[in-house]
Amino acid sequence: SDASARAAALARARRVVDGLEDERTEAIGLVSTRRAELDALPLQNGVTGEKPRDIEHGLELIDAAGLEASAAARKWEELQERRAAAEATLESARSSASGFSLLAESMGHLVTDADAAAYDGDVETARAQHARLNATFNEAQEAADTGDRRVRAAADQLAQYATEKRFEKLSTPVRQQVISVKRDQLPAHAAEWAEALRPRLRSLTDDLAQIDRHRGGIITRLQGMVDGALRTLRSAQRVSRLPDGLGDWSGQEFLRIRFTELEDNALTEKLGEVVDEAAVGKTADGRDVKRDGLSLVLRGVRAAAPKGFRVDMLKPDSVLRTERQRVSEIRDVFSGGQQLTAAIILYCTLAALRANNRGKVRNRHSGVLFLDNPIGRASAGYLLELQRAVAEALGVQLIYTTGLFDAGALAEFPLIVRLRNDADLRAGRKYLSVDSTIRNSLEDLGEPDGVARLSATRMFTRAEDPADSAEDEQPA
């Protein structure tokens, strides 16, 4: 795994190869010599050798020559075996040298220690260990490349984050440094910046935690107000129930409000988005957001019913059928008198709802409604009767003001007060004064002398607290 070890191993292998080469050369020379001697031996015996003296001596010479030939053949075979072993040793040495040379070249760029110990294993073991080390190196290289990519991505993200428009007004030196430093040099400053920003991070974390607590309190409060608003809508439907004596309308709810609420967890999340948009001042699509309390509650109510609200209203007609129309269709379907009647009934419903919220359910006085010339639009008797019946049931006093003299319409009212204009010629001012009073409801009291009398009146006075009222009976 290092240069010196590879050099030592290579030198040792070369010495072995050189020794084997010498042995091989000697063996080749010896084989050649013996072969030449063997080839020349019969001729030598035939020319200079001892000649047989007789047949027996010749046979002895032949037997001796045969023995020498057998010994030479055995010697030659032995030398052949040694030669083959030398060649095998040489081939093995060459293969090992080649293998170690390839391994040394493949690991040359990894050598850092020149004094490492020489490797004393064989080439197959070296190859297996090289494969394992190479796989480990590849994994480490891949991990290093992945780390470099993550560092570059983090540097790009940091630089882009620091250049966002929302931070343009910040005068923090770190932001200017992040913008000015090259991206490949950002990791070198990371430790210094992290140490400098750590106290600020703790402070901002505490601030964000406090903001989150306040945000949670606002969401909880807003959720309570939204729940109260939804309960008010349900109460509006309930208190709009009409009194008896109105035919098919008797006991019917004038308003029907339908909506689907979210679960508490989903509502909390939606209200969190509403609060966040109010804090930013803009919606997700860039529209401006009002930050007053009423707008916030209204947006919270809309968020609580993502499918919207469906409001249906009974359509006033002469036979009082239970026909309902959506509020969005009133302008197209209702006549002018029907629209006015529906508006009056709706006001009475809201007034009764307010009285109900103030705890005045059993003995309520929901207020007074002054109408500006309504008879011109709603002169039909069934409309006036319906207005007065609903107002009486819901505790609202209706006062109609008109300059028209429609006997059929005016006959529906129990009390008519005629007014006239009195002019002050010196001051140029005009005053309203009572001209005459007509009490239609007093004609059927049945007094014996034909004179109608009032036994008592009830007067309502408003105390300092608008929610309180006092009642006092006075003799007429």
Side-chain angles (χ1 to χ4, degrees):
S1 61
D2 57 87
S4 61
R6 289 197 304 275
L10 185 59
R12 187 166 57 252
R14 285 176 178 172
R15 288 193 298 271
V16 174
V17 170
D18 293 338
L20 294 175
E21 284 288 345
D22 295 336
E23 291 179 6
R24 178 176 177 273
T25 301
E26 292 176 0
I28 291 173
L30 184 59
V31 169
S32 299
T33 303
R34 294 292 182 266
R35 184 175 293 146
E37 291 176 354
L38 180 63
D39 293 339
L41 184 61
L43 181 59
Q44 222 173 21
N45 292 334
V47 178
T48 60
E50 184 180 1
K51 293 180 179 182
R53 293 185 301 272
D54 51 23
I55 294 175
E56 293 180 359
H57 184 234
L59 292 174
E60 292 177 359
L61 292 176
I62 291 172
D63 292 337
L67 293 174
E68 291 180 359
S70 298
R74 289 195 297 274
K75 185 64 175 179
W76 183 80
E77 291 177 357
E78 182 182 352
L79 293 176
Q80 284 291 93
E81 292 177 357
R82 291 181 62 187
R83 178 178 177 274
E87 289 179 350
T89 303
L90 176 61
E91 184 64 26
S92 176
R94 286 177 177 176
S95 178
S96 297
S98 177
F100 278 111
S101 177
L102 293 176
L103 293 176
E105 292 178 358
S106 65
M107 302 181 65
H109 63 289
L110 300 177
V111 175
T112 57
D113 188 3
D115 298 329
Y119 181 75
D120 55 356
D122 58 7
V123 68
E124 295 300 329
T125 306
R127 283 174 180 169
Q129 188 172 359
H130 172 266
R132 291 194 300 271
L133 295 176
N134 197 34
T136 304
F137 171 75
N138 291 334
E139 293 178 358
Q141 186 65 37
E142 184 178 356
D145 294 340
T146 302
D148 291 340
R149 288 193 297 270
R150 291 180 60 186
V151 170
R152 287 195 297 271
D156 294 339
Q157 184 179 3
L158 175 62
Q160 293 175 1
Y161 189 78
T163 55
E164 291 184 3
K165 292 184 177 180
R166 54 176 175 165
F167 301 130
E168 290 179 352
K169 297 181 179 180
L170 290 179
S171 59
T172 306
V174 175
R175 178 177 178 271
Q176 301 298 329
Q177 294 175 6
V178 172
I179 295 174
S180 59
V181 173
K182 295 181 179 180
R183 295 192 179 183
D184 57 349
Q185 298 178 0
L186 285 177
H189 301 277
E192 179 183 356
W193 292 341
E195 185 65 24
L197 293 176
R198 189 170 288 109
R200 182 57 177 162
L201 176 61
R202 289 195 296 269
S203 176
L204 290 177
T205 302
D206 295 339
D207 293 341
L208 290 176
Q210 185 177 5
I211 291 173
D212 189 65
R213 289 194 297 271
H214 292 317
R215 178 179 179 272
I218 293 174
I219 293 174
T220 302
R221 175 58 177 160
L222 179 60
Q223 185 170 359
M225 298 177 70
V226 169
D227 291 339
L230 296 179
R231 288 195 300 270
T232 299
L233 292 177
R234 298 189 192 93
S235 299
Q237 176 176 325
R238 186 175 63 255
V239 300
S240 67
R241 189 177 301 276
L242 299 173
D244 297 333
L246 296 178
D248 293 342
W249 278 26
S250 299
Q252 292 287 332
E253 294 174 339
F254 181 73
L255 287 177
R256 279 188 180 175
I257 304 174
R258 298 288 186 269
F259 57 90
T260 302
E261 295 184 65
L262 293 174
E263 298 292 336
D264 290 341
N265 295 334
L267 178 58
T268 302
E269 182 178 356
K270 288 293 184 181
L271 294 181
E273 295 177 0
V274 171
V275 172
D276 294 340
E277 290 178 352
V280 175
K282 290 183 179 296
T283 59
D285 53 2
R287 293 181 289 108
D288 293 335
V289 175
K290 294 182 179 180
R291 297 182 177 180
D292 58 283
L294 180 60
S295 299
L296 189 62
V297 173
L298 291 178
R299 294 184 65 245
V301 171
R302 285 196 295 268
K307 295 183 179 180
F309 297 86
R310 179 185 176 94
V311 182
D312 296 325
M313 183 181 296
L314 289 173
K315 179 182 179 182
D317 56 13
S318 58
V319 295
L320 298 181
R321 293 173 298 180
T322 56
E323 179 183 357
R324 297 183 180 274
Q325 296 290 338
R326 298 187 65 173
V327 173
S328 58
E329 301 172 352
I330 289 177
R331 183 183 295 273
D332 300 327
V333 178
F334 284 17
S335 64
Q338 291 173 337
Q339 291 183 24
L340 178 61
T341 302
I344 293 174
I345 296 176
L346 182 59
Y347 173 84
C348 294
T349 300
L350 296 178
L353 178 63
R354 182 181 62 181
N356 180 61
N357 292 338
R358 293 179 176 180
K360 301 177 181 179
V361 180
R362 296 182 179 178
N363 186 16
R364 64 188 176 202
H365 177 64
S366 300
V368 179
L369 175 61
F370 286 87
L371 301 173
D372 182 14
N373 197 21
I375 299 178
R377 296 177 60 188
S379 59
Y382 75 93
L383 294 177
L384 297 174
E385 181 181 358
L386 179 61
Q387 296 171 14
R388 294 181 54 251
V390 174
E392 182 178 359
L394 298 179
V396 178
Q397 174 66 53
L398 298 180
I399 298 180
Y400 296 74
T401 61
T402 180
L404 300 179
F405 187 77
D406 187 343
L410 297 178
E412 298 291 333
F413 299 97
L415 176 62
I416 301 173
V417 178
R418 297 187 181 278
L419 304 176
R420 68 172 184 271
N421 286 331
D422 291 335
D424 188 339
L425 299 179
R426 291 177 297 177
R429 298 177 180 176
K430 292 184 178 181
Y431 305 90
L432 288 176
S433 59
V434 177
D435 182 48
S436 62
T437 303
I438 304 174
R439 295 183 178 87
N440 297 334
S441 61
L442 299 180
E443 295 178 356
D444 299 329
L445 294 179
E447 294 292 337
D449 53 359
V451 178
R453 292 182 177 85
L454 290 176
S455 61
T457 61
R458 176 171 294 175
M459 179 178 65
F460 293 89
T461 61
R462 186 178 299 277
E464 295 181 359
D465 187 356
D468 298 333
S469 63
E471 299 180 359
D472 188 15
E473 294 188 356
Q474 299 292 337

